[in-house]
Amino acid sequence: MSDRKGGCLCGAVRYVLKGEPRGVALCHCTHCQRLSGSLFSFNLVMRETDYEQSGATMIYVDSGDSGHPVFRHFCGRCGSPLVSSTALMPGKLVLKAGTLDSKDGLQPKIEVYTDHAATWLEPVAGAQRYPQNV
Ligand SMILES: [Zn+2]
């Protein structure tokens, strides 16, 4: 399979994924809702070493449920969220998959924080649902 590529809305930040995702998830948490301006994030869990970025991101230090900092990288020019990381997942990144050039072949395997999911949104076929985190 060829490497997946993606980037922010304005193109100042581009990336290549050198490996397959370790997880594919929808996240309905309130932080993903605010950050995306929408109702959920479509997330890929990637190994840090499988993510190669060109162009610089800015970082917003958020706080997760656990109280640990969550480092949210976004484009300082157009504001697109790209990746986040936390000490709870060493060596891993969570990529906002809406920024990929092609989403072909990617389907969520799990849905998390479904306690906050919009009530009119149908569950994703074949995906495990978790009220909070996994
Ligand atoms: Zn941008």
Side-chain angles (χ1 to χ4, degrees):
M1 197 205 90
S2 60
D3 295 339
R4 292 182 188 277
K5 296 188 176 105
C8 68
L9 180 61
C10 76
V13 182
R14 295 287 301 166
Y15 62 80
V16 178
L17 302 183
K18 312 295 288 183
E20 286 299 305
R22 320 310 278 182
V24 185
L26 289 194
C27 181
H28 300 275
C29 85
T30 55
H31 290 222
C32 278
Q33 290 174 347
R34 281 189 196 282
L35 152 90
S36 66
S38 187
L39 291 172
F40 54 83
S41 288
F42 183 27
N43 291 335
L44 303 186
V45 179
M46 300 296 306
R47 282 196 300 224
E48 241 165 24
T49 48
D50 287 340
Y51 175 81
E52 227 167 66
Q53 181 180 302
S54 60
T57 45
M58 292 181 74
I59 301 173
Y60 171 65
V61 183
D62 194 5
S63 178
D65 277 355
S66 60
H68 282 79
V70 179
F71 301 95
R72 299 191 180 279
H73 294 247
F74 62 97
C75 173
R77 190 165 159 221
C78 69
S80 304
L82 291 151
V83 289
S84 58
S85 63
T86 155
L88 293 179
M89 293 172 61
K92 301 268 174 46
L93 287 176
V94 174
L95 177 98
K96 300 299 178 202
T99 61
L100 283 164
D101 296 343
S102 164
K103 291 87 176 167
D104 284 356
L106 293 171
Q107 191 172 329
K109 301 281 197 311
I110 62 171
E111 292 186 77
V112 297
Y113 291 98
T114 56
D115 274 359
H116 299 286
T119 51
W120 48 262
L121 204 58
E122 293 289 334
V124 174
Q128 276 288 131
R129 289 170 70 83
Y130 299 88
Q132 300 284 309
N133 212 337
V134 177

